[in-house]
Amino acid sequence: MRAQVLRAHGGAGNFELVNIPEPELRPGAVRVRIAAASVNQIDIKIRDGLPIGPTLPAVLGCDLAGVVEAVGPGVAGFAVGDEVYGCAGGVRGQGGTLAEAIVADARLLAPKPRALSMREAAALPLVTITAWEALERAGVSEADHVLVHGGAGGVGHIGVQLAKARGARVATTVGSAEDAAIARELGADATIDYRQEAVADYVARLTGGRGFDVVFDTVGGANLDRSFAAAALGGRVAAIAARSTHDLSPLHAKGLSLHVVFMLIPMLHDIGRERHGQLLREAAALVEAGTLRPLLDPARFDLAAAADAYRHLESGQACGKVVIDIA
Amino acid sequence: MRAQVLRAHGGAGNFELVNIPEPELRPGAVRVRIAAASVNQIDIKIRDGLPIGPTLPAVLGCDLAGVVEAVGPGVAGFAVGDEVYGCAGGVRGQGGTLAEAIVADARLLAPKPRALSMREAAALPLVTITAWEALERAGVSEADHVLVHGGAGGVGHIGVQLAKARGARVATTVGSAEDAAIARELGADATIDYRQEAVADYVARLTGGRGFDVVFDTVGGANLDRSFAAAALGGRVAAIAARSTHDLSPLHAKGLSLHVVFMLIPMLHDIGRERHGQLLREAAALVEAGTLRPLLDPARFDLAAAADAYRHLESGQACGKVVIDIA
């Protein structure tokens, strides 16, 4: 099969399109003919050498949508020909999705939402599971005023929709007027141009100075300090990028809770994988109900151009998810 | 009335025993003739200048037990002669308990547990409310293996008992064989001499390397990093001293939740004060049931020797709570 193989950690130029053997079926897994894959920030970090990735040379890529073409021993609930989606590759011990086929742990997969194309379905798994876990652990309900950072970004645009689905009032940060319009279409009640408005100013404007009950930080780094600053007394902050060093005094002064979400843990440690398949089933129901939809960046890439897809996400210019058409 | 007045921020030598006017009753408050007060780590920080304290000169001290001698307008549920306990002073806007009387917000008080002496009751409020909130926010249940740091300390000895009351398996760190024996008497299933055993070693010995479901950090500073290290995948850490700077990578790698508890928030911000009175009623029921008891350091101090009580707590040699006999 054709695959993009990463020869060495580093930039997108280290990918090479080659022919490699089809991966072998194993118990508990299915072989999926991949129709589309999507690129996530974590894929870039793994490409650059984050030590959760596979031993090189290897195929990277977490997210996929495709068709089941073989079912391994011990797998219930999937049959040849089923359209599926999931986040089932890209880290050590797993295959990758920058290839024409993958052998994936069946517990990580779910039936593809019928209303979505393969491209659209491939955009959802990692960001949806991430946002779902963040909002669930933060206990978001209709009583909450929620700030989602990056409402036009990969995880953020799902966070806005899932927070609205939980009945919360939702504000979101964006970087342009175009992204603000997109975030409002996704359901955001208010938008904040983070390039124009300081935290204290939008906390005053949108919460009367009280702060947000929940802040969902999809950005990390210095933005995490801004998230602490934007939270109300007793508030909850959910973060998906927290490998940095921070003064925790604001958490102390306000009695905050910080929930750090790392959705690759089930793949890395073989714990709770069934939950991921289940979440994707629940997400598919939200899609069918019209409550959840993926936001796809308009740029198109095929497998041969995978490196360009990575570069596009790295540029910071992508709006929503960057998807690669595999077949 | 006699009171210890702090003249300037700094060491225990800055207290002065003087006569000052009795505090005036106000709506929503009661005047309590104080029988005993206890000293907490936060009292030392406030004495040293933490900017949540009252404007000096002022009377410090949070915890008290005593007898209601006057009831202000709008107060229900208390009458003259009632024995009460609570954490109702020591920060800006409130009175202090290093005095013969205090006017305290009635919402912060509860009837003193009948089984306890005034000394014993005065030991409980701040540490009990703190530990209660920590274990509640961490969702401690009978399914959890909990590590409580400082099981012979002020907050820690309550944390051990409340975690056991929730049905959890409890390990605790101590600094001596004597403290280990005390922690076991309080219900700890296992003890760890933190001076002798590294985190990885006791995590291996007590959890088979898996880590603790919940770590209750009553120490802060570098110990918070040890708490992150001792937590299991998806674990919860509750901390009561988190004004320091930390690398959050361990939270990311394990997908941890960090709950920072600051029990003075209701006094400082006039939010949720009823909850404190209610918690002390629930704690009193646990005391009557024989499930909860305070651990008192054997050293005795009267109001004139309040500075020595502070010095004793600061020395790190106290075991359990340091109490001051006021009357």
Side-chain angles (χ1 to χ4, degrees):
Chain A
M1 65 176 185
R2 294 192 314 148
Q4 286 282 0
V5 168
L6 188 71
R7 293 296 181 187
H9 292 129
N14 292 357
F15 285 116
E16 184 181 359
L17 186 65
V18 294
N19 273 295
I20 61 173
E22 297 266 339
E24 283 188 24
L25 200 56
R26 62 176 191 269
V30 298
R31 192 168 67 238
V32 179
R33 187 64 35 183
I34 299 176
S38 73
V39 188
N40 296 288
Q41 295 291 347
I42 193 73
D43 292 309
I44 296 170
K45 293 190 177 75
I46 290 170
R47 186 204 66 194
D48 287 344
L50 192 73
I52 60 171
T55 306
L56 302 188
V59 180
L60 302 191
C62 303
D63 276 338
L64 69 102
V67 179
V68 173
E69 63 175 17
V71 178
V75 173
F78 291 104
V80 172
D82 285 354
E83 295 188 332
V84 295
Y85 76 140
C87 176
V91 300
R92 61 173 184 247
Q94 311 297 321
T97 62
L98 296 180
E100 291 177 317
I102 185 173
V103 168
D105 188 324
R107 296 172 294 179
L108 298 168
L109 302 176
K112 177 182 82 68
R114 280 165 301 176
L116 298 185
S117 68
M118 287 288 188
R119 283 175 56 72
E120 291 169 324
L124 284 178
L126 185 145
V127 294
T128 301
I129 293 169
T130 299
W132 197 295
E133 184 182 341
L135 300 179
E136 186 167 273
R137 283 175 55 195
V140 170
S141 77
E142 64 283 353
D144 291 318
H145 196 175
V146 177
L147 171 63
V148 177
H149 279 292
V155 175
H157 85 282
I158 303 293
V160 167
Q161 296 177 80
L162 292 181
K164 289 304 299 178
R166 285 172 170 260
R169 187 149 61 110
V170 177
T172 188
T173 55
V174 292
S176 69
E178 295 73 24
D179 285 358
I182 289 167
R184 283 196 173 271
E185 275 176 34
L186 293 170
D189 300 293
T191 60
I192 298 154
D193 186 335
Y194 71 87
R195 296 168 203 253
Q196 303 289 335
E197 195 171 16
V199 175
D201 293 335
Y202 65 71
V203 165
R205 174 169 66 89
L206 295 170
T207 76
R210 185 181 162 278
F212 294 91
D213 302 299
V214 174
V215 182
F216 182 15
D217 189 310
T218 66
V219 178
N223 198 66
L224 197 48
D225 300 314
R226 290 189 278 273
S227 292
F228 300 155
L233 286 173
R236 299 94 77 194
V237 177
I240 65 167
R243 293 191 185 83
S244 40
T245 295
H246 297 268
D247 174 11
L248 300 184
S249 299
L251 280 77
H252 190 113
K254 296 181 185 177
L256 302 183
S257 289
L258 171 64
H259 302 280
V260 182
V261 174
F262 183 33
M263 76 76 69
L264 298 178
I265 286 176
M267 266 201 285
L268 288 168
H269 299 281
D270 198 0
I271 181 176
R273 291 187 184 177
E274 297 82 356
R275 174 77 179 137
H276 279 193
Q278 181 56 34
L279 280 186
L280 291 177
R281 284 175 171 78
E282 294 179 40
L286 290 183
V287 171
E288 305 298 350
T291 306
L292 178 67
R293 61 188 170 92
L295 173 66
L296 266 60
D297 185 87
R300 303 288 294 249
F301 306 93
D302 61 15
L303 181 57
D308 291 332
Y310 275 63
R311 290 187 185 102
H312 185 54
L313 183 59
E314 281 183 280
S315 75
Q317 301 304 308
C319 179
K321 289 296 308 272
V322 174
V323 177
I324 299 171
D325 299 296
I326 306 285
Chain B
M1 66 176 185
R2 294 192 313 148
Q4 285 282 359
V5 167
L6 188 71
R7 293 294 178 188
H9 291 129
N14 291 356
F15 286 116
E16 185 181 359
L17 185 64
V18 295
N19 273 295
I20 59 173
E22 298 265 340
E24 282 186 26
L25 201 55
R26 61 176 190 270
V30 297
R31 192 167 69 237
V32 179
R33 186 66 31 184
I34 300 176
S38 73
V39 188
N40 296 289
Q41 295 291 347
I42 192 74
D43 292 308
I44 296 170
K45 293 190 177 75
I46 291 170
R47 187 204 66 193
D48 287 344
L50 193 72
I52 59 171
T55 306
L56 301 188
V59 180
L60 302 191
C62 303
D63 276 337
L64 70 102
V67 179
V68 174
E69 63 175 17
V71 177
V75 172
F78 291 104
V80 172
D82 284 355
E83 294 188 331
V84 296
Y85 75 139
C87 175
V91 299
R92 61 173 183 247
Q94 310 298 321
T97 62
L98 296 180
E100 291 177 316
I102 186 173
V103 169
D105 188 323
R107 296 172 294 178
L108 298 168
L109 302 177
K112 177 182 81 69
R114 282 165 298 176
L116 298 186
S117 68
M118 288 287 188
R119 285 175 56 72
E120 291 169 324
L124 284 178
L126 185 145
V127 294
T128 301
I129 294 169
T130 300
W132 197 296
E133 183 182 341
L135 300 178
E136 186 167 272
R137 284 174 55 195
V140 171
S141 77
E142 64 284 352
D144 290 319
H145 196 176
V146 177
L147 171 62
V148 177
H149 280 292
V155 176
H157 86 282
I158 303 293
V160 168
Q161 295 176 81
L162 293 181
K164 288 306 297 178
R166 285 172 170 260
R169 187 148 61 112
V170 178
T172 188
T173 55
V174 292
S176 68
E178 294 73 26
D179 285 357
I182 289 168
R184 283 197 174 271
E185 275 176 34
L186 293 170
D189 300 294
T191 61
I192 298 154
D193 186 335
Y194 72 88
R195 296 169 203 253
Q196 302 289 335
E197 195 171 17
V199 175
D201 293 335
Y202 64 71
V203 165
R205 175 169 65 89
L206 295 170
T207 76
R210 185 181 161 278
F212 293 90
D213 303 297
V214 175
V215 182
F216 182 16
D217 189 311
T218 65
V219 179
N223 198 65
L224 197 49
D225 300 314
R226 290 189 279 274
S227 293
F228 300 156
L233 286 173
R236 299 94 79 193
V237 176
I240 65 167
R243 293 191 185 83
S244 41
T245 295
H246 297 269
D247 174 12
L248 300 184
S249 299
L251 281 76
H252 190 115
K254 296 181 184 176
L256 303 183
S257 289
L258 171 64
H259 303 280
V260 182
V261 174
F262 183 33
M263 75 77 69
L264 298 178
I265 286 175
M267 266 201 286
L268 288 168
H269 299 282
D270 198 0
I271 180 176
R273 292 187 184 178
E274 296 83 356
R275 174 77 178 136
H276 279 193
Q278 181 56 34
L279 280 186
L280 291 177
R281 283 174 171 80
E282 296 180 40
L286 290 184
V287 171
E288 306 297 351
T291 306
L292 179 68
R293 61 187 171 91
L295 174 65
L296 266 60
D297 185 87
R300 301 290 294 251
F301 305 93
D302 61 14
L303 181 57
D308 291 333
Y310 275 64
R311 289 186 186 104
H312 186 52
L313 182 60
E314 282 183 279
S315 74
Q317 300 305 308
C319 179
K321 288 297 308 275
V322 174
V323 177
I324 299 171
D325 300 294
I326 305 285

